[in-house]
Amino acid sequence: MSEPLVIVGNGMAAARLVEELAKRALGRYAIAVIGDEPRLAYNRVLLSSVLAGEATSQEIELRSAVWWRDRGVTVTYGCAASSVDLAVRKVHLANGTDVPFSKLVFATGSTPLRLAVPGADLPGVHTFRDTRDVDQLLALAGAKRRVVVVGGGLLGLEAAYGLAKAGSKVTLLHLMDQLMERQLDAPAAALLKRLVESKGIEIVLDADTSRIIGTDHVEGVDLANGRSIVADAVVFAAGIRPNVALAREAGVPVNRGIVVDDRICTGVENVYALGECAEHRGTCYGLVEPAYEQAKVLAAHLAGNPTDYVGSVVATNLKVSGVSVFSAGDFLAAEGGETLVFNDERRGTYKKLVVAEGRLTGAVLVGDTQDALWYLDLIRTMAPIETIRGDMMFGRALAQLKAA
C-alpha cells in the first residue's frame, strides 16, 4: 500500500513538491494536500495582474483539478488544519475530521504583517497576500477611492500598481529612503521610483506611519512628521512573517521559521518543512525560487535518492508596477567587488554588474531585463567571465559572439 504523506498548505511550494514527487516516486505515497484558501493552488506572483485586470483568478491557477486527481492526490481546500498530533500522527482539521500520516510536510507559507499602530483594526484596512484580499481590493478599486499603500517593497509596489490601474488614486508610503532596499541599489531604486510615479502613483519615502485616522471607517493616515494623507482605505504590504504556529504548537523546533536541515528535515523524524515557512541555516526565503529548489531536494529525499540543499542565490526577476526589475547575488558589492554600470535615464534603463575574482557575483537590472537569466546562471555557476567581461554588459548574444 502507498505510504500516507500529508502536505499542510496548498500554495506554490506544495504544488511544486507534488510535481517533483510525481516525477520520482509516483505511487509510492498516498498524498493528501490540505489548504486553508478556498481554491486550488495558484501563482501568487500574479496576484497584482488580477488586481490590475490583466489576468483572471482562473488564469493564474497552477494546475487543474484533473491534474491533481490524475496523480492520485487528495486535495482538501477551504479547510484549515487546526492542530497536528505527532504522537498519534494525525492532522486535525477545522471541520472536525482527522487525516492520518506517516510523513508530514509543513508548507504553510507566511502571513502578512500589520503595523501595530492605532486604527490598524478599522474597517477599510486591508492586506495584500491572497485571492481573498484581491477580491476585497477589486471592490475597493472599482469605487475609484483614495488608497494609501504602506510598504515600498515588492508587495507594496505590486498592490499600488494594481490598484492604480484599476482606477484608485494611490499614495505609497515607505519607511526607508529608497524603494526595494533589499533588492536594489540607490540609483536603481531612484529610477524605479521615477518610472512608478510616471504611472500616476504618488510615492512618499521616509514615511513613518503613526496612526490610521477614523472612527468607524478609514479616513486617512497620519505620519510621524506631522503630515496627514486623506484616504478611504489603507493596504498594509510591509512584509511577511513565516506561518509557524501549527508547527510550534505540535512541538516542532521553530526559530523565526520552522528549522530544517540540508535534507529539508525538521527536528522531528519524518516531518519536513519547505517554502516561506521554513528556516534553513538561519535564513527564511520569502521568494518562490528557493521554495522550488527545496521542493526538488525534498522530493529526492522522499524518493530515496537524497541530495543536499545548500541554500539559494536570492534573485528577483519580476515586473514591479509594470517595470521590469531583476536583482541577484551580491549586487551591492559588499565584499569589495568591482562594479560595471550602464545608466540611461532617458530610456529608463539601468544595469549594474558586480565582478569579483574573475566571476560575476551580483547584478541589478531595471527596464531591460532580457538577459537576466543568463546573468543569474553566471552567478550561480560561478563561471569565469574574463573573456566576456568587456562585452557582457551589452547582453549574452554580443558577449558570446565576441568571445567566439
Side-chain angles (χ1 to χ4, degrees), residues 232-254:
D232 303 300
V234 172
V235 179
F236 283 135
I240 55 177
R241 177 187 294 113
N243 195 352
V244 300
L246 198 66
R248 179 187 287 117
E249 291 165 6
V252 178
V254 168

Side-chain angles (χ1 to χ4, degrees), residues 83-87 104 106 244-253 268 271:
S83 64
V84 172
D85 191 327
L86 295 176
L104 175 68
F106 287 100
V244 300
L246 198 66
R248 179 187 287 117
E249 291 165 6
V252 178
V268 178
V271 177

Side-chain angles (χ1 to χ4, degrees), residues 42-251:
Y42 58 89
N43 188 338
R44 195 182 303 276
V45 176
L46 296 178
L47 281 176
S48 60
S49 298
V50 177
L51 187 56
E54 298 168 350
T56 66
S57 294
Q58 291 70 35
E59 288 172 339
I60 68 170
E61 198 170 90
L62 289 172
R63 300 292 183 183
S64 67
V66 173
W67 183 90
W68 294 94
R69 186 178 65 243
D70 287 350
R71 283 151 185 79
V73 181
T74 302
V75 181
T76 301
Y77 55 87
C79 183
S82 56
S83 64
V84 172
D85 191 327
L86 295 176
V88 298
R89 307 194 79 72
K90 288 183 179 180
V91 178
H92 305 302
L93 306 188
N95 64 7
T97 61
D98 294 337
V99 182
F101 64 86
S102 173
K103 289 181 169 60
L104 175 68
V105 180
F106 287 100
T108 46
S110 56
T111 54
L113 294 176
R114 281 179 173 260
L115 297 188
V117 297
D121 57 350
L122 279 171
V125 177
H126 305 270
T127 55
F128 179 64
R129 187 62 187 159
D130 60 32
T131 53
R132 292 167 292 195
D133 295 330
V134 169
D135 289 341
Q136 293 181 17
L137 295 177
L138 280 171
L140 178 71
K144 299 188 183 301
R145 295 179 179 176
R146 297 162 296 185
V147 183
V148 168
V149 175
V150 180
L154 287 170
L155 281 176
L157 285 161
E158 290 295 87
Y161 172 69
L163 285 163
K165 191 159 186 188
S168 294
K169 184 179 184 300
V170 180
T171 299
L172 184 143
L173 308 178
H174 192 44
L175 180 63
M176 309 303 288
D177 61 357
Q178 71 169 66
L179 298 174
M180 291 182 65
E181 69 279 355
R182 294 183 180 179
Q183 291 87 16
L184 302 179
D185 63 1
L191 175 59
L192 178 62
K193 179 177 182 289
R194 181 170 65 79
L195 294 174
V196 172
E197 288 175 329
S198 71
K199 299 176 184 297
I201 298 169
E202 179 187 11
I203 296 176
V204 182
L205 301 176
D206 295 309
D208 186 1
T209 302
S210 60
R211 72 176 180 122
I212 312 299
I213 309 167
T215 51
D216 56 355
H217 199 278
V218 171
E219 296 173 10
V221 174
D222 278 346
L223 303 182
N225 64 7
R227 179 180 174 183
S228 295
I229 300 170
V230 176
D232 303 300
V234 172
V235 179
F236 283 135
I240 55 177
R241 177 187 294 113
N243 195 352
V244 300
L246 198 66
R248 179 187 287 117
E249 291 165 6

Side-chain angles (χ1 to χ4, degrees), residues 254-265:
V254 168
N255 287 332
R256 181 167 178 262
I258 304 169
V259 179
V260 298
D261 62 16
D262 291 353
R263 301 287 171 87
I264 318 299
C265 305

